[in-house]
Structures are given as C-alpha cells and as structure tokens.
C-alpha cells in the first residue's frame, strides 16, 4: 500500500488515542452529528495538485475517493481548503510535520477535542483510514469556482414573465399552502393547509434545503444543497417551475426582496462553495451580480479563503439583504436599491453565524453564532450591531426563533440549543423594557440536547421545542411544549407530545423535526422524518388542546424535514 512512500514521520501517536473503546461523547454528540457535509463537492472530479518528491504514492482514482470522503466528512470542520474552521487546519506544513502514523492514529481513534473516531467506530475501513492519512500529506485540491459564465449556462427561463398568467388561475388558498422539503428525494411537496392534500410534488436540487416566498406570496423559491434554485409560480393553473439556475456547488440559503417598492424585484442566494452570494432578477432568476465573501476575519483581521454564506433574510426597514457570513463573523447589509453601485455595510458580529430570525417588530434580526454560544442582534433600521448575547447554553440553534410576550419581561425572542437542554429567552424591547434588552432574561430546560428548532405564533400561548438529534430515540421523536402563562414560575414545566408515536410508524427510528404553524396560527405541523426507504409522516397538532389533529401520510412524503407556510414565511411570522 505504501510502496515508494518516504514520509517525515516525526510523531508517535499520542497514547491517549490508542484505546480501542470509543471515548464517550467524542464524535457522537448531537452537535457532532450536525456538521456540514459537502456532498455535492464530493461528486466533483478534482485533479491531484503537483506532487512533491516525498509525497505518498496515490493514484488519481484514490485521490478522487479521498477527496469525496474529505468533502463529505471532514470539510465541515476543517474547511474545504483545509485551512481550519471549527476544526484544526490540515495544511501540509502541519500534516507533514506530524507525519503519516500520527494522522492514521488520529483518524482511527479521534481526539478528546471533538475529532470523531472514524476508524474504531467503523465509519471508515482500515484501507480508507490509510488513504485519508496519505491524502492529507498531499496539497489540497481547489474545487472549481462558479462565476457568471457557469451561472448563465445553468440558467433556464422555463416560462418568461410575459407568458405567465396575469391573475391567479387556480383555487388554492395560497397563503395557507405549505412547501415541504422532501430531503432525500430532491423534491418539495406543496400541501394545502386546509385539506392536508398534496397539491403537487416538484423535482428540485439535490438534498433540497429551504424554501422562501416572494413578498407578494406569488413565487416560491427553493434551494438544493447543490446550489440549484427553482422558482415556482403559484398563480399558474398547476403551480410550476418558471425559472431555474445553479448558483454554486454547495449552497444553503435563498431569499427575496421585501422592502416597500421592491417587492418581488430581486432574489438572492448564498453559497458555501464558492464562498459568494448572487443577486438575481426576482421575476426571471437572471443572475445580475455576484459578490465574493472571501476576506478578513472580523476580529483577528486575518484572511479567510472560504467564508460560507449562512442565513440570508430581507430587511423590512430598508432595501437591504442581511447576509450572514460564517467564518469571518461578519454580517453584510447589502443595499439592493442600486446594485450597479452596490453599497454593503459590514458589521462585526461573531464567528460561525448560522441561522436566525426577526423579533416581533421585525426591526431586529437575531442570529446564532452557534459555535461561539452567542446570538448577535442587528438593528436593521439603524444598520448596526445592537447586542451580542451569551446565551448560557451550548450551540444555540433557533431556526428562525420564537417571539413571545413574556408575562414578566415583555417581548422576548427564544432559541433552543443543539448541545444541551437550555432554552434562552432574550429581551427584545429596548424602548419598553430597556433593562432586559439583549440580555437573557430566563432559561427554560427542555427534554435534552439535540434541539434544532423552536416555534410559536402570535396567536399561540405555547412554545414548541423539538429534539431531533437527541441520541435517545424516544426524546428525538417527542416535542416539549411550554405554556407562556407558566413562565412566571422559577422553573416552568413542559408537556411532552409523543409525536413519533402519534404518527403510528412501525419501522425505523423517525426523528420529529421543525414545527411550523398554519396561517391562522391554530395548528402546528411537525415532520416525522424517517429514512428514505421507510414511511415518514407529518403530524398536525391542535395548538389549543395540544391534541393530535391529523396524520398526513402519503408514499410521496419521502424524508420530510423543513416546512414553510406561505404566509408565515413571507411575512416573517414566528
Ligand atoms: Fe439546515 C436552515 C445550514 C443541516 C433543516 N440550514 C438552514 C440555514 C442554514 C443551514 C445556513 C439558514 C438558511 C436561511 O435562513 O437563509 N443545515 C445547514 C448546514 O450547514 C447543516 C448543518 C449541514 C449540511 O450539510 O447541510 C444543515 N438542516 C440540516 C439538516 O440536517 C436538517 C435538519 C434537515 C434537512 O432538511 O437537511 C436541516 N435547515 C433546515 C431547515 C431550515 C434550515 C428546516 C429552515 C428552518 C426555518 O424554519 O427557517
């Protein structure tokens, strides 16, 4: 295997890792399960960069296999270019000084700092561990860029605006439709919120991620992990894709302009690779302007070659998109009123920005810097940082968060956490409750770690907290519900909804994920997310009684995860 292989093997493996047992908590925590996987980059053929004389022997085929494993399993922490992110850098100056044996042991046994034990867990075979140790000694390949020529080549204006209807041609109640991610099918299902019937299923990008709705409520935008955007016209007799484009090799976010006078004018999509965002025409998806996010980390002022674009939201107070750049910790306010003379306000926030949502007035945007256990608050009216809040829990993950009127502290926004059972309530009313603004006013404690999404609705008196990534099957299939009136108590109790059990699924271990209210706010839908080859479901809960109201099952409902109610999504109601 290692013939002709001359290596600077300098370090013996640390005895700590030379244990056969999997150390508890190393690589199996919910936070470790929830690491970005560059699945589409893994499909790209990459060339071996010029080999150095003492590089290990590797064939092109092996190199491609190793690059696929690296992009899918390692890039999330160590970066596509191996320059480090939440994990350590793996540049060749470091890997070559550590040497082959050290790398092999490290990959096999993991580390107490959070590196999974890929070998002893059986995730990688001995041959694959050997391959990865050799791969890391060679210069990393750079995946291709994706600029205007690539985007335009991928752009397909299926139905030009002049050929589209001038009024709604179907009887659907658009504002109460749900766009449901069918993750592993690469599809979304459009479900009628009143009848629970599937209206249509659309083919979309690979491992489709989120949906967003244009300000008017007419257009639905969907983005796949492979950067493919579908734009669906809900006015057509049979809602259909009217335009599509690929914006990069790895992407997660899409949004459309919402400021008065610019409704439906622009769309924007952010990519993980290449690190950039693109502003597109809101009626056709024609790409208009690409902006790179490569640049300096906000505090160290050191260059980062691959700062991924995480969540993007549209301001209601200015003609701006709020673009959250993960690795540099910067929030960009991108003024779209004149995109040829683009003005971008760059706000220093915190590293590892991920997901977030508005407060109830929609003036403040709160976004989790998840690996820093903080929430950054942007005043979208003034265009500046309003606060940086230590949440007191591990790895905040709010989705879009939950806004409630707290019986003691007034308006608060809440996030749950991936790393533990904490739910943090943050004061959001600097005028009415100045002492509480941008501070954690209360902690609640839910079912356990592994929470991804928290949800409520202005008409609801409940806060729903999921725990899909909890290692306990029963907890990952349940939801905790807090009553807002109980928040006067020191440690409010919660009701457990056994959503997984209600779904009545015989096989597999489905996880219950992401509550989403209907337009009226009297029911909340949860996905019961099973593996691709097994039955999944959506369970609808009555918000007043907390009883099961409906189980939606259909053979087309393959791996449902995110659900986006048209009204709540376009109006930022949560
Ligand atoms: Fe997501 C939102 C990134 C894994 C379901 N996810 C987001 C956003 C980002 C993101 C940046 C915010 C988009 C916005 O608001 O513009 N997600 C990532 C990842 O990098 C990560 C950790 C790993 C990966 O390789 O993709 C990841 N996400 C997942 C899942 O495994 C989930 C649970 C199931 C799935 O469908 O893949 C998942 N992510 C979601 C959902 C939202 C989301 C449902 C939108 C929530 C909302 O209410 O707005």
């Amino acid at each position: 295997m290692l013939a002709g292989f001359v290596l600077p093997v300098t370090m013996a493996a640390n005895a700590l890792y030379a244990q056969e047992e999997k150390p508890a908590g190393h690589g199996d925590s919910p936070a470790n399960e929830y690491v970005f996987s560059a699945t589409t980059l893994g499909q790209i053929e990459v060339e071996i960069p010029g080999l150095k004389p003492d590089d290990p022997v590797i064939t092109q085929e092996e190199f491609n296999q190793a690059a696929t494993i690296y992009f899918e399993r390692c890039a999330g922490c160590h970066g596509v270019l191996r320059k480090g992110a939440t994990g350590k850098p793996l540049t060749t100056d470091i890997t070559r000084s550590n040497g082959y044996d050290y790398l092999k042991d490290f990959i096999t046994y993991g580390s107490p700092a959070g590196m999974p034990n890929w070998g002893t867990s059986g995730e990688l075979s001995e041959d694959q561990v050997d391959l990865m140790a050799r791969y890391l000694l060679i210069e990393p390949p750079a995946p291709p860029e994706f600029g205007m020529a690539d985007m335009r080549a991928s752009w397909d204006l299926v139905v030009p605006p002049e050929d589209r209807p001038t009024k709604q041609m179907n009887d659907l109640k658009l504002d109460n439709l749900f766009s449901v991610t069918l993750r592993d099918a690469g599809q979304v299902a459009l479900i009628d919120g009143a009848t629970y019937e599937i209206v249509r299923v659309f083919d979309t990008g690979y491992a489709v991620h989120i949906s967003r709705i244009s300000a008017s409520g007419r257009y639905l935008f969907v983005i796949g992990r492979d950067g493919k955007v579908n734009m669906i016209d809900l006015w057509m007799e049979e809602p259909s894709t009217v335009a599509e484009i690929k914006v990069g090799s790895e992407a997660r976010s899409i949004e459309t302009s919402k400021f008065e006078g610019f409704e439906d004018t622009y769309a924007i999509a952010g990519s993980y690779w290449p690190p950039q965002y693109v502003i597109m025409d809101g009626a056709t998806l024609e790409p208009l302007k690409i902006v790179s996010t490569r640049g300096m980390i906000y505090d160290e002022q050191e260059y980062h070659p691959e700062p991924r674009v995480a969540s993007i939201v549209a301001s209601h107070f200015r003609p701006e998109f709020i673009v959250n750049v993960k690795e540099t910790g910067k929030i960009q306010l991108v003024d779209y009123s004149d995109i040829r003379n683009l003005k971008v306000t760059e706000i220093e926030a915190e590293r590892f920005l991920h997901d977030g949502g508005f407060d109830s007035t929609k003036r403040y945007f709160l976004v989790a810097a998840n690996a820093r256990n903080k929430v950054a608050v942007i005043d979208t009216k003034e265009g500046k940082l309003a606060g940086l809040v230590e949440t007191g829990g591990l790895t905040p993950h709010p989705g879009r968060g939950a806004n409630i009127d707290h019986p003691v502290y007034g308006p608060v926004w809440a996030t749950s956490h991936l790393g533990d059972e904490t739910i943090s309530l943050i004061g959001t009313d600097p005028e009415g409750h100045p002492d509480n603004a941008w501070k954690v006013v209360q902690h609640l404690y839910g079912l356990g770690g592994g929470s991804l999404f928290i949800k409520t609705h202005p008409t609801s008196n409940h806060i729903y907290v999921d725990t899909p990534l909890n290692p306990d099957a029963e907890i990952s299939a349940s939801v905790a519900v807090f009553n807002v009136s109980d928040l006067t108590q020191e440690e409010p109790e919660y009701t457990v909804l056994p959503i997984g059990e209600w779904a009545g699924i015989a096989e597999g271990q489905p996880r219950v994920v992401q509550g989403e209210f209907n337009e009226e706010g009297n029911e909340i839908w949860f996905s019961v997310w099973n593996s691709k080859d097994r039955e999944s479901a959506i369970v609808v809960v009555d918000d007043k009684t907390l009883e099961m109201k409906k189980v939606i099952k259909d053979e087309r409902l393959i791996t449902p995860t995110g659900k986006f109610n048209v009204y709540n999504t376009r109006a930022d109601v949560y």
Side-chain angles (χ1 to χ4, degrees):
M1 197 39 102
L2 295 175
F5 186 9
V6 187
L7 278 175
V9 178
T10 53
M11 286 179 72
N14 185 327
L16 183 65
Y17 313 134
Q19 45 188 312
E20 284 305 314
E21 296 278 295
K22 185 174 179 178
H26 295 173
D28 58 1
S29 70
N32 272 326
E33 260 192 60
Y34 190 66
V35 168
F36 148 66
S37 172
T39 32
T40 46
L41 270 187
Q43 308 307 313
I44 292 174
E45 300 261 306
V46 280
E47 292 210 352
I48 308 179
L51 287 173
K52 296 192 189 127
D54 56 358
D55 270 343
V57 171
I58 198 158
T59 64
Q60 179 68 53
E61 199 190 332
E62 285 181 316
F63 190 79
N64 279 337
Q65 276 173 18
T68 301
I69 295 174
Y70 181 83
F71 289 139
E72 290 181 355
R73 316 239 180 156
C74 319
C77 292
H78 298 285
V80 168
L81 300 172
R82 304 200 333 225
K83 300 264 172 142
T86 48
K88 295 211 161 72
L90 294 171
T91 42
T92 50
D93 53 328
I94 298 167
T95 57
R96 290 167 72 92
S97 108
N98 285 342
Y100 171 83
D101 288 340
Y102 176 89
L103 293 170
K104 198 169 148 232
D105 285 336
F106 211 81
I107 300 167
T108 305
Y109 300 110
S111 86
M115 166 81 171
N117 52 338
W118 296 106
T120 51
S121 67
E123 295 255 3
L124 295 183
S125 67
E126 242 177 82
D127 284 352
Q128 285 174 318
V129 172
D130 157 69
L131 176 64
M132 293 315 290
R134 284 185 286 143
Y135 174 80
L136 292 178
L137 294 160
I138 301 170
E139 288 301 326
E145 297 296 318
F146 204 90
M148 192 49 95
D150 294 306
M151 284 193 205
R152 289 197 82 87
S154 75
W155 176 45
D156 185 3
L157 183 56
V158 185
V159 184
E162 59 274 19
D163 296 340
R164 295 179 202 159
T166 49
K167 60 178 178 30
Q168 189 181 334
M169 302 301 286
N170 55 52
D171 299 332
L172 297 166
K173 193 164 177 300
L174 299 187
D175 268 346
N176 202 24
L177 287 176
F178 286 71
S179 173
V180 179
T181 296
L182 304 177
R183 186 185 190 280
D184 295 355
Q187 292 177 326
V188 293
L190 213 53
I191 305 187
D192 187 318
T195 62
Y196 310 116
E197 297 289 330
I198 296 181
V199 174
R200 265 207 96 173
V201 173
F202 300 93
D203 287 335
T204 58
Y206 171 81
V208 51
H209 209 75
I210 67 160
S211 298
R212 292 283 184 255
I213 319 284
S214 71
S216 70
R218 171 176 183 174
Y219 292 111
L220 165 66
F221 296 84
V222 179
I223 190 153
R225 279 179 166 78
D226 56 357
K228 188 173 163 197
V229 177
N230 283 71
M231 176 179 172
I232 293 155
D233 185 357
L234 299 176
W235 277 12
M236 292 170 91
E237 202 172 317
E238 201 170 57
S240 304
T241 292
V242 288
E244 55 183 57
I245 190 171
K246 189 167 156 64
V247 296
S249 323
E250 283 284 339
R252 299 292 183 275
S253 47
I254 177 97
E255 180 58 296
T256 79
S257 53
K258 288 186 179 158
F259 186 65
E260 214 185 320
F262 291 90
E263 294 92 342
D264 298 17
T265 306
Y266 294 115
I268 181 172
S271 305
Y272 274 11
W273 188 270
Q276 63 194 25
Y277 53 88
V278 57
I279 301 174
M280 297 164 282
D281 183 284
T284 64
L285 289 185
E286 181 180 8
L288 302 173
K289 182 124 197 162
I290 306 172
V291 181
S292 170
T293 51
R294 291 182 171 111
M296 298 300 176
I297 300 170
Y298 86 97
D299 52 353
E300 295 165 0
Q301 303 279 302
E302 295 294 339
Y303 180 72
H304 201 290
E306 46 172 307
R308 291 173 276 170
V309 176
S311 49
I312 304 181
V313 293
S315 170
H316 296 267
F317 282 80
R318 291 178 176 192
E320 285 178 345
F321 290 122
I322 300 155
V323 177
N324 297 281
V325 187
K326 212 179 257 281
E327 278 76 13
T328 52
K330 291 174 178 172
I331 299 175
Q332 297 192 2
L333 307 183
V334 181
D335 182 339
Y336 53 71
S337 61
D338 177 5
I339 61 168
R340 298 198 71 169
N341 300 288
L342 196 74
K343 288 185 229 39
V344 178
T345 305
E346 189 182 272
I347 298 178
E348 295 181 2
E350 183 51 283
R351 293 182 72 180
F352 308 118
L353 299 166
H354 191 71
D355 54 349
F358 288 102
D359 76 308
S360 57
T361 67
K362 300 177 195 168
R363 170 171 171 175
Y364 299 99
F365 173 67
L366 297 98
V367 55
N370 59 10
R372 288 284 189 264
N373 305 323
K374 287 187 186 145
V375 163
V377 188
I378 299 300
D379 180 346
T380 66
K381 192 172 170 195
E382 297 294 330
K384 58 182 191 196
L385 189 75
L388 202 53
V389 188
E390 194 91 51
T391 62
L394 284 177
T395 324
H397 194 286
R400 285 168 279 171
N403 285 297
I404 53 166
D405 200 5
H406 193 288
V408 181
Y409 303 106
V412 304
W413 177 92
T415 180
S416 55
H417 292 79
L418 192 45
D420 62 29
E421 69 278 33
T422 312
I423 295 138
S424 304
L425 272 44
I426 298 170
T428 58
D429 181 21
E431 272 159 34
H433 299 78
D435 293 348
N436 303 331
W438 323 132
K439 288 184 194 136
V440 174
V441 293
Q442 188 174 22
H443 279 138
L444 313 177
Y445 300 98
L447 280 164
S451 176
L452 290 179
F453 302 105
I454 184 165
K455 192 57 63 94
T456 189
H457 186 275
T459 63
S460 170
N461 200 37
H462 290 130
I463 309 169
Y464 297 80
V465 185
D466 70 5
T467 30
L469 295 186
N470 193 286
D472 181 303
E474 207 177 315
I475 295 180
S476 70
S478 304
V479 164
V481 190
F482 292 88
N483 192 314
V484 174
S485 315
D486 293 344
L487 299 185
T488 47
Q489 295 164 15
E490 203 169 311
E491 209 165 298
E493 293 192 351
Y494 53 81
T495 306
V496 181
L497 306 185
I499 307 270
E501 205 183 301
W502 287 348
I505 289 171
E507 287 189 331
Q509 233 185 61
R511 301 162 190 272
V512 169
V513 68
Q514 205 243 12
E516 176 78 347
F517 271 87
N518 62 348
E519 183 194 3
E520 205 183 322
N522 62 355
E523 59 188 42
I524 179 164
W525 296 25
F526 287 96
S527 300
V528 184
W529 170 25
N530 213 343
S531 57
K532 193 178 174 180
D533 49 347
R534 298 222 155 96
E535 187 178 49
S536 287
I538 290 174
V539 170
V540 180
V541 177
D542 184 309
D543 177 59
K544 287 279 168 301
T545 61
L546 299 185
E547 278 166 13
M548 189 255 285
K549 196 166 170 186
K550 172 83 189 167
V551 177
I552 308 175
K553 282 190 185 169
D554 189 296
E555 59 183 20
R556 292 169 292 175
L557 270 189
I558 299 164
T559 59
T561 55
K563 298 161 298 307
F564 304 88
N565 171 269
V566 165
Y567 181 75
N568 295 335
T569 306
R570 73 183 177 89
D572 286 303
V573 175
Y574 30 80

